[in-house]
Amino acid sequence: MALSSASTVDDIIAHLRTLASQANLAGMARFGIATDRALGIPNAVTNPIARLLKRDHTRALGLWATGIREARILAAATDEPAKVTRAQIDAMAAEFDSWEIVDHAAHLICAANLAHEIIPAYAADEREFVRRAAFSTIATAAVHLKKEPDETFLGWLGLVEAQAGDSRNFVKKAVNWALRQTGKRSHALHAPALQLAEKLAASTDKTAKWIGKDAVRELTDPKIVERLSAKA
């Protein structure tokens, strides 16, 4: 069945099942992607499908409700940001079970203009994937929210410092990602981000030290420094 912007949830799921690949599931698992509800379809295949389907809020809710990995990726990619609410994101967050789904949801959070309220709330949340969502959203915002003032990201650096000791794998990697992307966003943000990275690198806490040292390595890369200086 050929898909179109008029395709229903059932149409889409039926089509996705024809693309399922058991062979791909093992590779996904090696990257820490939850595969218990996955069909094994790579993003290189789902991305064109999302563009074909276009945006539909009601259908996106239906796709998310299936629980299927690929359907949830399509849900995040094809929802209508203007119709997305904080309550909807909170309900989604309660079901986060994979870093990959979290990172797709971060794009929707940014597009829906919910980053300001969700980031501090989720950074304070003890659930691993919910906290990851806060820092994944910071990293995503640093790249995609072009009009957001640097002052916003300076404030979010405080959240990076506050949670730099969270040793859970999917949190610490997102905290590190947020720090690096913030430092690469602009010349004005580079110095404060690097300063925090150096502070964390000198920490006695093992996780904070790793986050800091890795960020220092990237933020002192001559090519990045040169690029940011050229934009100053």
Side-chain angles (χ1 to χ4, degrees):
M1 176 184 294
L3 295 180
S4 72
S5 60
S7 295
T8 66
V9 171
D10 288 342
D11 293 337
I12 296 165
I13 298 303
H15 181 72
L16 290 175
R17 291 194 185 282
T18 69
L19 302 173
S21 171
Q22 194 68 30
N24 286 340
L25 291 176
M28 290 178 174
R30 285 195 294 272
F31 284 97
I33 294 172
T35 59
D36 57 318
R37 292 183 292 177
L39 298 175
I41 305 170
N43 290 336
V45 175
T46 57
N47 289 342
I49 293 176
R51 290 192 291 270
L52 179 67
L53 294 176
K54 300 183 180 179
R55 295 191 178 276
D56 184 311
H57 179 62
T58 301
R59 187 179 60 200
L61 294 175
L63 286 169
W64 181 271
T66 67
I68 298 169
R69 166 193 173 266
E70 290 77 5
R72 288 190 160 183
I73 289 173
L74 290 175
T78 63
D79 208 332
E80 297 175 73
K83 295 182 180 180
V84 174
T85 65
R86 168 69 186 275
Q88 176 186 338
I89 298 296
D90 286 347
M92 292 168 63
E95 299 179 350
F96 285 162
D97 62 355
S98 173
W99 65 265
E100 182 195 33
I101 297 298
V102 168
D103 295 356
H104 279 87
H107 286 270
L108 183 59
I109 292 169
C110 288
N113 294 318
L114 292 171
H116 283 270
E117 58 178 295
I118 282 179
I119 286 171
Y122 283 16
D125 197 296
E126 290 296 330
R127 290 171 292 179
E128 181 175 9
F129 288 112
V130 177
R131 182 169 288 172
R132 179 187 174 89
F135 295 99
S136 175
T137 302
I138 292 175
T140 301
V143 175
H144 295 286
L145 296 188
K146 305 295 187 183
K147 296 181 179 180
E148 192 67 37
D150 286 344
E151 288 74 14
T152 298
F153 293 90
L154 287 173
W156 288 340
L157 281 177
L159 300 176
V160 169
E161 182 171 10
Q163 301 301 341
D166 191 327
S167 62
R168 291 175 294 181
N169 187 49
F170 296 116
V171 175
K172 73 177 184 181
K173 287 185 175 180
V175 172
N176 169 263
W177 183 26
L179 179 55
R180 290 185 289 108
Q181 292 302 110
T182 297
K184 293 188 293 181
R185 176 179 168 86
S186 70
H187 184 264
L189 286 170
H190 181 262
L194 179 57
Q195 183 178 24
L196 175 55
E198 290 172 338
K199 179 180 180 181
L200 295 177
S203 173
T204 57
D205 181 272
K206 182 179 179 181
T207 301
K209 181 185 287 291
W210 175 83
I211 290 171
K213 288 181 69 175
D214 186 73
V216 167
R217 181 163 49 249
E218 182 161 0
L219 295 178
T220 55
D221 184 302
K223 292 181 180 178
I224 290 174
V225 174
E226 181 180 359
R227 177 177 62 82
L228 291 172
S229 296
K231 292 169 61 178

